[in-house]
Amino acid sequence: MKIDRRSFLSLGIGAGAGIALTPLPWKLADDSSIWTQMWPWTPVPARGEATYVNSACSLCPGSCGISVRKIDERAVKIEGMEGHPVNDGGVCPIGIAGLQLLYGQTRVKTPLKRVGKRGEGKWQKISWDEAISEVSSNLAELRKSGNPQSLACISGSGRYGTVSGLFQRFMTAFGSPNFMSVPSFVDGYSMALKQMHGIDSIPGFDFENSDFILSFGSGIIDGWGAPVRMFKANANMKGKIVQIEPRLSNTAAKADKWIPIKPGTEAALALGLAHVIIKKSLYNKDFISKHSFGFDDMTGTDGKKVKGFKSLVMEKYTPASVARITDTSAEMIEELAVSFAKASSPLAVCGRGKGTAQGSLDEYIAVHALNALLGRVNTKGGVWAVEQPNYISWPYPDMDKIAEKGFASARIDGAGTDEFPLAGQLAHRFVNAVADAGRKEIPVEALLIEGANPLHQFSDTKAVKKAFSKIKFIASFSSYMDDSAQFADIILPNHCYLERYEDIPAPAGLQKPVIGISRPVVAPKYNTLHSGDAIIRIAKALGDKIESSFSWDSYEACLQATFREAWSKLDSVGFLINQKYGAPGWDQFETESKLFEFISSADGAKTGRDKDEIVNIADIEGKGDKKYNLTLISYDSIRLASGSVGNTPFMIKAVADTILKENDIFVEINPKTAKDAGVKEGAKAVLTTPKGSANVRVHLFEGIVPGVIAMPRGLGHTGDDKYLSGKGVNVHDLIGPVEDPASGLDAAWGIRAKLAKA
Amino acid sequence: MKKEHKHVKSNKKYGMVIDLDKCTGCGACMVSCMAENNVPFKADESNKLDSITWMRVYKLTNDKPYPDTEICYLPRPCQHCEGQHEGHSPCVSVCPATATDYSMETGIVSQIYTRCFGCRYCMAACPYHARYFNWWDPVWPEGMEESLNPDVSVRMRGIVEKCSFCFHRYQRAMEKAHFEDRHELEENEYQTACTQACPSGAITFGDLNNESHAVYKLKKNPNAFRLLERLGTNPKIYYVSSREWVRLAGDNYRPDEKMTAKHKPAKHAPAKQH
């Protein structure tokens, strides 16, 4: 057949039309779009049986119950546990993102021994036997040289629980008093309760039954206390919330009223309110006359007149003078005091931001006194001195002579000594004692770090690093390669919190005694070991009487033995709660006077306080230095994890671009301040404080007191992965501790600073 | 014997009422959504134009000088627009591949990944920036793919994705219902991941047509409004705010523009978005 032009064209057109009429082109287009999307590197999650495992979250002191959805052996989603006394089904972003810690890139997968220089990141994989004997042989040296007290331990696990309990027990049996937990507002508040109520207790706040919450900077919905419980309390609040804070935080924005105040003057404002309440006779006369001590003037045993709380407040804290101190107005103070006092169930709270700083004792005393003035202590809808969890009833550890001698020596941080009799622990003093020590007299030779990240969490990180550099041997028990683990000599990785058992008592700020239990959601993924087991094995390896103090075969055996018959209930229900626990009442004061004490009836030396002053407002570093014309404060956000773990990839995604842009952190300043400093929105600038300087960007925000710079807390990690590491600045690099002379607590709430165009 | 197949016409219209007075901006909804829906993540997510967040919480301010400044957070999932007549959503009507569709059964605007070839016409059409394009292949570092949810397909480079009202949860609930020989769901049987996660209870999800569902009543709140209502997109997300400046911010009027009587305030203060 001859193909001429005509037949060629008609055949071609015909074929074209024919094909176009078939589904072929559409099928091909569809197929190509399907096949170009089926790349081998795009994961296809495996199907399987769906189940839920209940556990407890230990990523913050909130201790929420969680319910984890699993597909076969994979954990795929964390949800809140329904019916849990802390969070009842609610959950926070940090908690939801927890699987990214479990499966994340930061896990330490096997015991590691440092081979390069400290912090260089060169590690050698070792076995658990080697790791345990490495630690025990290093520690044995200390006892051999008769210096067991030169061992220190920083614990970040839930206080009063068995894990921190085992570490504390190990320290005691070893012969060192130098055990400390990560600082918290609970340190300061408990100290105030010890002084005013006379008992060792923890503060519990009955928000659910209050109709007027006056918050002195507490981040009620920024992560304070048990965050999810606070979110719920805030959402269900029938009454009013008033937020006193220099910055329009989320809490301030959601409150019924925001009272911007000069940073650091909260205690004075509390006493100004007390002044008005006393002047207008709005205080609770029944409580004051029958259950309190030190309200009116008294005559001391030596016949001298001693001023009472009333006189001190009336003399020094008039609304006019307080307005001057706090940069507010006398009318506002009068008005606020009256509306607060007239509420049926008012409650004042304190502990700035998430409550991760100790704060000054004065502030807790001032705010607690304000509560007491209205009879709001140990009562429904008020603040309670809640009993400390005391379910651990292990026999006191056996101690040999070396241990007894070492344990009897004074703590390196001075807590519990004559200087600071009420303090339990003073981390910043510990850091400084080591950092400032001469080469021959370094008080700490070995350090155990458990559940904490002091190189990021503690203030003045430069000093912390200096101190750590002087310590010969640092062992980290971290599950993750965090800032502190990177700086250790040996890492004994704990199971991730979703792979292990652990009791988690006393959710922060809760008024009811609750014990939660972390249960293994999945089997340990890597060659890790429960820190409880690790410390038991170290104790056994050390032999002597230390071994006999740790008679348990394993951590789990210890945990079950601790709870005895309550264990099966705890393990199956997920928590234990004393439902009957109610407001302790006004007959529960164990002070010398058996009353609530506005002014301590004990002698001044014992409490370390000057009776002529109620509060000494601590100055911050750099005050009076003209070079620093601004004040730097840190702020907390629930979208920034700032405890022992940092943000996971999902969490970092949820951070706004006005907080982090690429690797640059933004500081917030008032447009007025920006104008004075000559910087515009988004501009790069250098922020300098007496502790150091950092490159930042500027975000103009009308919701901040002029003259104040606010920096978010939780960024600037050196450890971890590419999703977090190197992003932003750690505000603790720029702020250092300020010692409260009365209590020894770290009272820092900010630092003087300056801002210059970059 | 052939079983008679009876088609039950469903008149469901799933939607949300978000109480902005309750929203605290904590971001639990965002993170819960990411975890539930296998949303990918990159090393740097600070460029919000290419950061995939099906649910995004915006921060609004009234832009008044210190100390009268106010903040309001506004969570923005896909608005699942119904359009002027049912199914005429801005995105659905422009998609050349029928990769996004309006379900007459549930009122949910779907996104069918395997059909999408990435022209991004829908993104241009969506007035809410609710759609995101996968500029890169999603990468789960070794081990992290373990937490992927098998109910939701993982997307790949070159396609558009968005909030599905956790449609897989609807399917799961319907499967269970059918198994139990039911055709209707209880209100609590189908809830989105963000609704479930919100610790403040700000998000309420349900059938806007069903009188027994909470959203039915809540949407009638005199303070309820929808975003850019005047565009006629007819969205299924209702917001409630007691603050006038927030309600005003919902419709983006220019300062020089005349407002409808419904929105006319005493004095207009434009809201700023961050």
Side-chain angles (χ1 to χ4, degrees):
Chain A
M1 196 181 118
K2 195 189 156 204
I3 298 170
D4 58 8
R5 184 173 178 268
R6 185 188 174 87
S7 61
F8 176 77
L9 281 178
S10 56
L11 202 70
I13 292 165
I19 291 168
L21 285 174
T22 68
L24 194 68
W26 317 110
K27 181 71 184 138
L28 282 175
D30 191 33
D31 277 2
S32 67
S33 94
I34 290 171
W35 287 102
T36 53
Q37 291 175 14
M38 298 198 28
W39 304 115
W41 54 82
T42 305
V44 179
R47 304 200 154 267
E49 194 195 348
T51 50
Y52 278 89
V53 178
N54 285 342
S55 185
C57 180
S58 53
L59 297 180
C60 90
S63 319
C64 287
I66 53 172
S67 197
V68 186
R69 182 166 186 252
K70 282 175 70 182
I71 300 294
D72 287 344
E73 284 313 303
R74 299 190 292 123
V76 298
K77 181 86 191 283
I78 296 178
E79 289 163 6
M81 179 176 157
E82 303 282 341
H84 194 280
V86 176
N87 58 317
D88 188 18
V91 65
C92 84
I94 302 165
I96 302 169
L99 294 180
Q100 295 196 316
L101 289 169
L102 171 66
Y103 295 123
Q105 297 294 287
T106 62
R107 291 289 302 275
V108 180
K109 298 174 182 171
T110 183
L112 295 175
K113 190 182 168 185
R114 173 173 70 85
V115 284
K117 278 190 216 129
R118 252 201 196 153
E120 202 182 17
K122 287 191 181 153
W123 302 95
Q124 180 196 341
K125 289 178 186 171
I126 53 172
S127 70
W128 273 104
D129 287 340
E130 287 170 305
I132 300 291
S133 74
E134 174 84 17
V135 175
S136 55
S137 61
N138 266 286
L139 299 193
E141 289 296 314
L142 305 184
R143 277 170 56 87
K144 217 180 272 169
S145 65
N147 282 320
Q149 70 278 13
S150 65
L151 173 68
C153 176
I154 298 171
S155 162
S157 287
R159 295 182 192 186
Y160 315 109
T162 51
V163 173
S164 68
L166 283 173
F167 275 82
Q168 200 164 359
R169 183 178 182 81
F170 176 80
M171 296 295 287
T172 309
F174 188 84
S176 171
N178 294 306
F179 173 89
M180 68 197 74
S181 297
V182 168
S184 152
F185 82 102
V186 174
D187 296 342
Y189 214 115
S190 295
M191 216 189 258
L193 291 175
K194 175 81 182 163
Q195 184 172 321
M196 300 170 104
H197 292 227
I199 53 171
D200 288 316
S201 57
I202 45 178
F205 302 85
D206 192 9
F207 287 99
E208 287 80 359
N209 290 308
S210 166
D211 69 343
F212 192 131
I213 292 166
L214 182 59
S215 155
F216 289 84
S218 301
I220 290 173
I221 53 166
D222 292 292
W224 184 92
V228 177
R229 179 242 179 167
M230 296 309 299
F231 279 113
K232 285 185 172 267
N234 176 68
N236 299 329
M237 179 76 190
K238 296 271 179 325
K240 243 180 159 178
I241 297 179
V242 173
Q243 180 75 359
I244 299 159
E245 201 177 3
R247 176 181 169 271
L248 185 67
S249 63
N250 285 1
T251 305
K254 281 285 143 195
D256 297 271
K257 194 177 165 65
W258 169 45
I259 297 170
I261 175 179
K262 190 174 169 189
T265 61
E266 287 85 350
L269 183 58
L271 295 175
L273 298 173
H275 177 106
V276 178
I277 289 167
I278 296 171
K279 193 174 71 187
K280 297 197 190 265
S281 193
L282 293 169
Y283 55 89
N284 187 319
K285 275 129 209 141
D286 181 41
F287 179 78
I288 296 298
S289 63
K290 291 190 197 137
H291 303 279
S292 84
F293 172 89
F295 183 73
D296 294 306
D297 296 348
M298 329 153 248
T299 311
T301 40
D302 53 359
K304 267 194 200 159
K305 268 248 182 222
V306 180
K307 275 180 193 160
F309 179 77
K310 183 178 168 184
S311 301
L312 290 168
V313 168
M314 293 316 282
E315 278 165 24
K316 289 195 174 157
Y317 296 93
T318 61
S321 66
V322 171
R324 256 196 318 277
I325 299 169
T326 57
D327 271 352
T328 55
S329 75
E331 298 78 64
M332 184 280 295
I333 295 168
E334 299 249 1
E335 214 175 285
L336 179 62
V338 171
S339 60
F340 184 63
K342 288 195 170 164
S344 67
S345 195
L347 170 62
V349 297
C350 61
R352 284 184 189 81
K354 287 183 184 170
T356 44
Q358 286 191 318
S360 79
L361 179 59
D362 301 312
E363 207 169 293
Y364 298 104
I365 286 181
V367 173
H368 198 61
L370 180 62
N371 277 318
L373 208 50
L374 299 172
R376 305 303 303 153
V377 294
N378 283 358
T379 186
K380 196 178 170 188
V383 52
W384 306 357
V386 180
E387 61 185 25
Q388 289 172 341
N390 53 2
Y391 55 85
I392 295 180
S393 51
W394 304 329
Y396 200 76
D398 272 344
M399 288 161 90
D400 54 20
K401 284 253 159 59
I402 305 169
E404 269 170 14
K405 187 167 160 265
F407 190 71
S409 62
R411 281 178 65 104
I412 294 164
D413 62 6
T417 59
D418 288 348
E419 201 180 356
F420 306 112
L422 292 180
Q425 56 186 37
L426 302 163
H428 64 103
R429 287 184 57 88
F430 169 80
V431 168
N432 289 341
V434 182
D436 300 340
R439 206 193 302 172
K440 291 243 168 87
E441 60 229 6
I442 298 160
V444 179
E445 290 188 48
L447 174 67
L448 310 177
I449 306 172
E450 176 273 321
N453 185 6
L455 270 173
H456 191 268
Q457 280 177 288
F458 284 17
S459 74
D460 194 2
T461 46
K462 219 186 276 169
V464 181
K465 198 153 197 170
K466 191 177 164 199
F468 282 17
S469 319
K470 290 189 177 176
I471 299 173
K472 269 194 219 142
F473 180 73
I474 300 176
S476 163
F477 292 79
S478 178
S479 304
Y480 320 101
M481 190 57 92
D482 56 33
D483 312 59
S484 308
Q486 274 187 322
F487 207 66
D489 299 303
I490 188 165
I491 308 176
L492 295 86
N494 195 357
H495 298 324
C496 172
Y497 77 108
L498 296 166
E499 298 170 330
R500 66 177 190 243
Y501 268 116
E502 187 176 341
D503 51 325
I504 319 178
L510 207 70
Q511 76 280 28
K512 282 197 185 292
V514 172
I515 306 165
I517 182 91
S518 261
R519 301 165 69 242
V521 173
V522 291
K525 213 171 134 56
Y526 303 112
N527 182 25
T528 52
L529 182 69
H530 197 296
S531 293
D533 282 312
I535 201 71
I536 291 174
R537 283 183 63 180
I538 292 168
K540 289 193 195 278
L542 278 165
D544 297 345
K545 287 199 166 174
I546 305 174
E547 183 178 6
S548 56
S549 298
F550 287 79
S551 54
W552 306 282
D553 290 333
S554 68
Y555 171 72
E556 238 176 276
C558 162
L559 187 62
Q560 291 183 20
T562 305
F563 282 96
R564 292 185 296 262
E565 61 273 20
W567 169 253
S568 60
K569 191 180 173 197
L570 177 62
D571 192 28
S572 57
V573 180
F575 59 87
L576 295 176
I577 179 170
N578 180 359
Q579 286 290 7
K580 279 185 221 140
Y581 193 85
W586 290 346
D587 50 2
Q588 294 293 316
F589 302 117
E590 296 293 332
T591 50
E592 283 193 12
S593 61
K594 300 285 177 210
L595 297 167
F596 178 91
E597 294 193 346
F598 282 100
I599 305 282
S600 180
S601 63
D603 68 82
K606 204 165 152 198
T607 55
R609 297 188 57 79
D610 174 1
K611 282 184 188 169
D612 277 348
E613 283 289 345
I614 309 169
V615 299
N616 294 295
I617 294 168
D619 281 340
I620 51 169
E621 201 169 340
K623 199 174 173 177
D625 190 338
K626 289 219 173 82
K627 206 162 58 201
Y628 300 112
N629 57 337
L630 302 168
T631 303
L632 171 69
I633 58 170
S634 66
Y635 74 88
D636 283 329
S637 159
I638 194 75
R639 293 197 212 173
L640 281 170
S642 49
S644 61
V645 298
N647 268 18
T648 64
F650 282 159
M651 285 292 288
I652 250 325
K653 253 188 119 158
V655 172
D657 54 359
T658 49
I659 290 177
L660 187 70
K661 187 81 198 163
E662 290 171 350
N663 285 346
D664 293 340
I665 192 173
F666 284 82
V667 292
E668 287 180 359
I669 53 171
N670 192 291
K672 220 159 103 190
T673 318
K675 208 175 159 195
D676 296 341
V679 288
K680 292 202 169 93
E681 172 66 32
K684 291 195 174 190
V686 180
L687 173 63
T688 310
T689 73
K691 287 291 171 207
S693 82
N695 294 317
V696 297
R697 279 174 185 265
V698 171
H699 174 50
L700 307 194
F701 182 44
E702 290 282 1
I704 187 165
V705 173
V708 174
I709 308 171
M711 183 183 264
R713 224 160 48 82
L715 291 167
H717 281 271
T718 56
D720 307 295
D721 51 13
K722 65 175 177 180
Y723 302 99
L724 181 61
S725 180
K727 290 185 178 177
V729 175
N730 182 2
V731 71
H732 293 167
D733 294 349
L734 300 173
I735 297 183
V738 174
E739 193 165 297
D740 175 16
S743 60
L745 296 171
D746 173 9
W749 45 262
I751 195 163
R752 297 297 285 171
K754 65 176 179 179
L755 195 66
K757 263 196 267 188
Chain B
M1 200 176 78
K2 203 177 165 189
K3 219 178 177 182
E4 201 187 334
H5 184 77
K6 227 167 113 189
H7 181 75
V8 187
K9 194 189 177 310
S10 162
N11 194 25
K12 281 184 284 216
K13 209 171 94 172
Y14 282 105
M16 270 177 195
V17 180
I18 304 179
D19 189 338
L20 301 183
D21 293 336
K22 280 190 180 169
C23 173
T24 62
C26 74
C29 53
M30 295 174 76
V31 176
S32 180
C33 171
M34 293 179 215
E36 179 81 19
N37 291 297
N38 300 337
V39 174
F41 46 86
K42 323 186 284 293
D44 178 37
E45 293 279 4
S46 66
N47 179 0
K48 299 302 175 190
L49 288 175
D50 66 29
S51 177
I52 300 176
T53 42
W54 291 12
M55 170 63 112
R56 181 169 173 198
V57 179
Y58 286 89
K59 183 179 183 179
L60 315 177
T61 75
N62 65 350
D63 218 26
K64 284 202 180 158
Y66 170 86
D68 299 319
T69 326
E70 286 180 29
I71 293 173
C72 181
Y73 287 96
L74 185 140
R76 188 251 38 219
C78 168
Q79 306 285 306
H80 294 273
C81 308
E82 191 177 347
Q84 295 294 3
H85 56 83
E86 204 179 4
H88 197 76
S89 328
C91 52
V92 170
S93 52
V94 300
C95 179
T98 333
T100 184
D101 203 5
Y102 189 91
S103 159
M104 298 296 175
E105 184 190 329
T106 58
I108 294 174
V109 177
S110 62
Q111 180 73 16
I112 301 144
Y113 310 124
T114 46
R115 284 188 190 163
C116 174
F117 49 67
C119 73
R120 289 176 282 136
Y121 198 166
C122 57
M123 289 174 71
C126 174
Y128 303 106
H129 296 285
R131 296 177 154 271
Y132 293 90
F133 185 63
N134 282 276
W135 289 97
W136 296 275
D137 260 318
V139 178
W140 279 268
E142 202 200 328
M144 290 191 88
E145 75 284 349
E146 297 250 329
S147 65
L148 290 175
N149 181 1
D151 300 340
V152 181
S153 354
V154 172
R155 285 77 59 189
M156 57 302 287
R157 181 176 57 185
I159 61 151
V160 171
E161 61 180 79
K162 67 156 195 82
C163 155
S164 66
F165 267 174
C166 287
F167 189 70
H168 59 283
R169 288 189 171 209
Y170 174 75
Q171 289 175 311
R172 215 151 73 196
M174 281 307 273
E175 259 172 43
K176 185 169 173 273
H178 284 311
F179 189 72
E180 291 163 5
D181 215 16
R182 289 181 289 133
H183 293 285
E184 293 301 322
L185 297 178
E186 294 295 319
E187 189 176 5
N188 62 4
E189 276 186 296
Y190 169 38
Q191 289 291 321
T192 63
C194 53
T195 310
Q196 186 191 14
C198 178
S200 303
I203 308 177
T204 313
F205 179 80
D207 181 0
L208 296 166
N209 282 347
N210 190 331
E211 285 180 36
S212 69
H213 284 200
V215 285
Y216 185 85
K217 275 198 202 84
L218 289 172
K219 71 172 196 259
K220 294 184 175 164
N221 185 317
N223 284 334
F225 66 98
R226 294 179 291 173
L227 294 181
L228 306 177
E229 246 172 306
R230 64 181 180 146
L231 294 182
T233 49
N234 199 1
K236 285 199 270 301
I237 311 287
Y238 289 79
Y239 294 94
V240 175
S241 174
S242 57
R243 290 186 276 186
E244 189 179 45
W245 70 266
V246 175
R247 298 197 297 273
L248 272 171
D251 237 342
N252 247 8
Y253 284 87
R254 294 194 306 272
D256 58 337
E257 206 175 4
K258 271 196 175 165
M259 266 161 269
T260 53
K262 190 187 164 196
H263 287 107
K264 194 137 188 162
K267 204 174 170 225
H268 178 52
K272 228 190 194 173
Q273 204 183 69
H274 291 298

